[in-house]
Amino acid sequence: MNMQTPTVTAPPPPKGLGEMKLPLVMMRDILLKTMFRKTLDTVTDLSEAICLPGSVTQELVDLARDQKLLEATGTLNANSGNEMGYQLTDAGRARALDALSQSEYFGAMPVPLDVYREQVKRQSIRNIRVSRQQLTAAMGHLILPDSLLDHLGPAVSAGRSILMYGPPGNGKSSISNGIRDALGDRVYVPRAIEYAGQVITVYDPIVHTAIAPEVEDPNALRKHRRFDERYVCCERPTVVTGGELSLSMLDLVYNPTARTYQAPLQLKSTGGIFIVDDLGRQAESPQALVNRWIVPLEESKDILALQSGEKFEVPFDTLVIFSTNFHPNEIFDQAALRRIFFKIKIDGPDQENFLKIFALVARKKGVPLDEAALVHLLKTKYPTINNVYANYQPVFLIDQMISICEFEGIPYQMSPDLIDRAWANMFVKDETIVK
């Protein structure tokens, strides 16, 4: 029986200021700063800018009016729907400038951390149930042994950490991307979250792929908000890091000019996948990197620190995939290995699967197969490397032959001679260089 992944519950839009769970002064100041920076003057435009329903935005406007920080300018022209216009008073402008000197943040109202925690639970990566059919479809461009899917399937469905190891060039990165594609549903990513009066931006267009909103009826009198628009509906995020990953990239990033924080990579990947590719190539040791993840991996929470030194907990709801060309025993102690839930070896293909990959690549690139060339490859060339096959080799060899054909001005083809010329570029000869 196939387990279906439950549909993620969207965060409902707040119905009033009382549901916001943010300090009133903070909300009022963000409204004033947004008016000042974006020169907005109607509730409709302000509502869109701060990502709150019109009724809640009106409450904030009324609050600021009561405090003599805003004043009505009268009814505007018909293009604005005959809405009442508002402007900052002198006191309001002074308050906006003072608030900007404390924090440059304006625009979308942040989501309190405690409120965000509840949404993380509703869309947890551990709620995902990936069937064999989904995983096979996502890996359709790869030729993998069934035994590998036997191990990958439970690992992905568990939403726990995975270590993929094995010789280079056998598709560990491609498999990681296939796992991402298999997830297939959506989550809601906050534009920003709030903790202790500090704003931490989370939504990042480089990391997050927003799902286009449904087209609304242009004749509708008012915009219908289906969910809290302080969030962006996105595909489950995937963060991919390689040799550039450092421990500092897992900390909050403070912007001293804007006086705001940016979420670290693992917080941006909440509800999705964090891939650490080429583990062992980073400046920090693999042991140090995994030690940093021990608490998150075991307790589903991470600990971050503000500039003041105050530490606080954030959800850690991420499928972490470590990928390395090293044997795990070379780079980890047993305590670290114990904390990585699944360890999966990715070997090169056997001869049968190698030939399937070779034929698939040749057909895709328009190079006709040649029996004499294949026999030469398998009987003459591969025995020189103990018949060790790798997934990258068919692409490499065929691309080499294509380059040679284009240089020689002949149609795409393969032959024993072209195999020899392509093979010569795949390995570096082990010889002493005379200086």
Side-chain angles (χ1 to χ4, degrees):
M1 184 178 71
N2 289 341
M3 299 286 289
Q4 295 296 318
T5 297
T7 302
V8 170
T9 303
K15 295 185 173 65
L17 287 181
E19 289 187 8
M20 296 289 294
K21 299 183 180 177
L22 287 169
L24 274 176
V25 170
M26 182 183 200
M27 290 191 286
R28 180 207 65 193
D29 284 353
I30 288 176
L31 176 83
L32 298 177
K33 288 188 286 185
T34 304
M35 285 189 75
F36 182 81
R37 283 286 187 234
K38 302 190 79 169
T39 59
L40 303 176
D41 56 9
T42 67
V43 169
T44 296
D45 289 343
L46 279 167
S47 168
E48 189 169 334
I50 64 176
C51 300
L52 292 181
S55 58
V56 182
T57 305
Q58 185 68 60
E59 281 188 71
L60 269 179
V61 167
D62 291 343
L63 175 72
R65 284 185 75 188
D66 291 344
Q67 296 177 358
K68 311 298 186 201
L69 301 172
L70 288 183
E71 60 187 5
T73 60
T75 303
L76 298 181
N77 60 43
N79 290 336
S80 62
N82 292 321
E83 269 195 81
M84 179 70 72
Y86 297 94
Q87 65 183 16
L88 295 166
T89 62
D90 289 343
R93 194 172 293 104
R95 179 60 212 162
L97 287 168
D98 184 47
L100 284 164
S101 71
Q102 297 172 48
S103 167
E104 270 285 342
Y105 184 83
F106 63 91
M109 206 64 70
V111 177
L113 178 56
D114 285 342
V115 174
Y116 177 49
R117 279 196 186 98
E118 295 306 309
Q119 184 59 30
V120 170
K121 290 178 186 175
R122 289 192 285 265
Q123 60 194 30
S124 173
I125 188 73
R126 297 194 181 182
N127 295 338
I128 287 283
R129 295 294 178 267
V130 176
S131 68
R132 181 179 289 272
Q133 289 81 0
Q134 285 173 296
L135 199 56
T136 302
M139 304 283 185
H141 60 301
L142 303 173
I143 292 175
L144 303 172
D146 289 338
S147 59
L148 179 55
L149 292 179
D150 292 342
H151 294 297
L152 277 177
V156 176
S157 286
R160 306 291 291 270
S161 52
I162 301 172
L163 171 64
M164 293 193 294
Y165 66 98
N170 283 312
K172 291 185 289 293
S173 299
S174 298
I175 291 168
S176 299
N177 292 331
I179 291 172
R180 172 197 64 196
D181 296 341
L183 299 183
D185 64 341
R186 57 191 61 182
V187 292
Y188 294 86
V189 178
R191 300 173 194 271
I193 57 177
E194 174 271 343
Y195 172 76
Q198 301 297 316
V199 176
I200 303 165
T201 58
V202 179
Y203 173 69
D204 181 347
I206 296 173
V207 170
H208 301 109
T209 302
I211 294 171
E214 296 174 14
V215 177
E216 295 198 349
D217 180 1
N219 299 316
L221 292 177
R222 61 177 60 188
K223 184 177 179 182
H224 177 62
R225 295 177 185 264
R226 289 173 296 279
F227 62 89
D228 187 342
E229 291 188 2
R230 292 178 295 168
Y231 294 83
V232 181
C233 185
C234 299
E235 295 176 8
R236 286 192 180 266
T238 301
V239 172
V240 183
T241 64
E244 78 283 1
L245 178 64
S246 64
L247 289 172
S248 63
M249 293 166 70
L250 305 178
D251 296 330
L252 282 174
V253 179
Y254 182 67
N255 183 327
T257 305
R259 296 180 180 82
T260 58
Y261 293 87
Q262 185 179 118
L265 293 174
Q266 72 276 18
L267 187 53
K268 290 180 181 179
S269 69
T270 298
I273 301 177
F274 192 112
I275 299 171
V276 183
D277 211 356
D278 280 334
L279 188 65
R281 305 291 182 198
Q282 292 78 14
E284 273 101 3
S285 70
Q287 185 73 45
L289 286 170
V290 170
N291 286 347
R292 169 63 180 81
W293 295 85
I294 284 176
V295 170
L297 290 175
E298 291 195 336
E299 301 183 22
S300 298
K301 64 183 180 184
D302 197 8
I303 298 172
L304 301 176
L306 299 172
Q307 282 287 103
S308 63
E310 180 183 355
K311 294 184 177 181
F312 63 104
E313 292 179 3
V314 294
F316 186 86
D317 185 73
T318 303
L319 171 59
V320 182
I321 301 176
F322 300 102
S323 172
T324 183
N325 298 332
F326 295 95
H327 192 283
N329 290 336
E330 295 176 12
I331 56 177
F332 296 123
D333 62 23
Q334 290 305 306
L337 276 177
R338 193 171 62 248
R339 290 177 167 92
I340 300 175
F341 207 70
F342 292 90
K343 275 80 75 175
I344 301 174
K345 191 166 191 285
I346 310 294
D347 277 318
D350 58 17
Q351 188 181 92
E352 181 184 355
N353 279 335
F354 171 83
L355 285 171
K356 285 182 183 177
I357 298 167
F358 197 92
L360 193 70
V361 173
R363 185 168 64 246
K364 184 177 179 181
K365 292 180 178 282
V367 178
L369 292 173
D370 178 82
E371 185 176 351
L374 288 173
V375 169
H376 180 66
L377 180 64
L378 298 179
K379 300 297 185 185
T380 304
K381 307 310 290 186
Y382 271 99
T384 65
I385 58 167
N386 298 318
N387 294 313
V388 176
Y389 302 96
N391 283 307
Y392 80 93
Q393 292 165 352
V395 176
F396 185 94
L397 291 169
I398 290 167
D399 281 348
Q400 287 282 331
M401 287 188 280
I402 287 173
S403 296
I404 296 167
C405 290
E406 289 176 347
F407 174 72
E408 301 289 359
I410 58 177
Y412 288 176
Q413 58 191 271
M414 63 178 67
S415 66
D417 176 60
L418 288 172
I419 289 287
D420 284 342
R421 292 174 68 178
W423 185 272
N425 285 323
M426 196 156 68
F427 301 103
V428 177
K429 291 181 180 177
D430 188 11
E431 57 188 26
T432 302
I433 299 173
V434 179
K435 296 182 181 179

